[in-house]
Amino acid sequence: MEYCIWDFNGTILDDVEAGICAVNRLLADRGMPCLPNKEAYREVFGFPIRTYYERLGFDFAKEPYEVIAPLWVEQYLHYVKSAEVFPDVRDTLIRLRERGVRQVVLSATECGMLCEQLSELGLTDFFEEILGLDNIHAASKLSLAQDWRERHPDASVLWLGDTDHDAEVAERIGARCVLIARGHQSARSLGHLGVPVYGDLRSVMQDIFTDCDNQ
């Protein structure tokens, strides 16, 4: 394993509560049913984000997605101030660095927002590349991943994420994908994807390093 590509939201940053609070504010303002808890959120969340909003009941014929998206970002940035890094992330970043693994963040978050969040969390120096979108619409990170792969065609890659989109993108670039089911989608939602699903990073690293040491 030469590289580890990290997803950010729900993999590094535990921002699920911020995501729920932000979308519930939008729903409440429109008299629509709110999500009652994390379990309900994790069952309905998914990519593309537009489809997720439609599942929640937003009607883009009445209020375009391009109007909704910046309103969600405004609310998210308010609530995410209290979000923290998952407790085992820093140790994992350190262990991978000690093993000589080069680390990258690749996210559907807008790049400026992503860089600012990583800086505030004190994590920037762990990553040789920080890759985010050039807009706030969180459509897909596939093109970012494909561009990265073109620059590193022969690299052996581990992809760490928390959604079905992570599994999809990892497969498209030939990366080994591992999902951690404590972010934005449930273990049930991820279980049919054909990739390993774990509850935390400590378990992931134990298995990954065991595999590497036995090769």
Side-chain angles (χ1 to χ4, degrees):
M1 176 176 51
E2 299 172 72
Y3 282 89
C4 179
I5 297 180
W6 292 76
D7 168 60
F8 181 65
N9 304 93
T11 303
I12 291 175
L13 184 66
D14 184 4
D15 65 346
V16 172
E17 191 66 36
I20 295 171
C21 290
V23 80
N24 275 349
R25 178 62 183 270
L26 299 186
L27 291 167
D29 286 348
R30 289 154 182 78
M32 299 162 66
C34 292
L35 292 165
N37 50 44
K38 289 183 179 181
E39 289 72 24
Y41 168 78
R42 287 177 171 133
E43 290 299 325
V44 72
F45 182 84
F47 286 85
I49 296 297
R50 290 178 64 102
T51 304
Y52 156 62
Y53 278 110
E54 288 172 337
R55 285 197 292 269
L56 291 172
F58 288 93
D59 185 349
F60 297 138
K62 295 180 179 178
E63 191 172 19
Y65 176 72
E66 291 73 19
V67 172
I68 293 292
L71 296 176
W72 181 90
V73 170
E74 179 182 355
Q75 294 300 320
Y76 171 81
L77 289 176
H78 170 72
Y79 290 111
V80 80
K81 294 175 183 177
S82 60
E84 298 181 352
V85 173
F86 284 106
D88 51 8
V89 165
R90 293 181 191 275
D91 286 345
T92 303
L93 289 165
I94 292 168
R95 292 184 68 189
L96 288 170
R97 183 170 62 184
E98 290 174 345
R99 288 267 180 153
V101 178
R102 302 165 74 177
Q103 300 183 77
V104 176
V105 173
L106 196 154
S107 174
T109 296
E110 189 273 328
C111 192
M113 187 190 308
L114 176 62
C115 291
E116 183 175 350
Q117 286 181 293
L118 286 168
S119 177
E120 291 174 351
L121 295 167
L123 299 179
T124 303
D125 290 346
F126 284 103
F127 302 104
E128 70 169 40
E129 292 184 84
I130 298 172
L131 306 173
L133 298 183
D134 61 1
N135 61 76
I136 64 169
H137 300 306
S140 172
K141 51 194 175 188
L142 178 57
S143 61
L144 286 176
Q146 291 173 326
D147 289 345
W148 184 91
R149 175 53 92 183
E150 288 179 4
R151 292 184 280 109
H152 306 85
D154 301 317
S156 172
V157 183
L158 171 67
W159 186 294
L160 295 176
D162 70 307
T163 69
D164 50 6
H165 188 50
D166 288 303
E168 174 193 6
V169 175
E171 181 180 14
R172 294 283 292 273
I173 68 165
R176 176 184 182 182
C177 183
V178 171
L179 300 175
I180 303 95
R182 62 184 181 185
H184 291 274
Q185 288 186 298
S186 67
R188 189 198 67 80
S189 299
L190 302 175
H192 69 282
L193 298 173
V195 302
V197 178
Y198 289 80
D200 58 63
L201 282 168
R202 291 186 180 92
S203 301
V204 173
M205 290 299 105
Q206 181 178 352
D207 287 356
I208 293 294
F209 290 149
T210 298
D211 288 349
C212 291
D213 292 342
N214 288 337
Q215 289 178 359

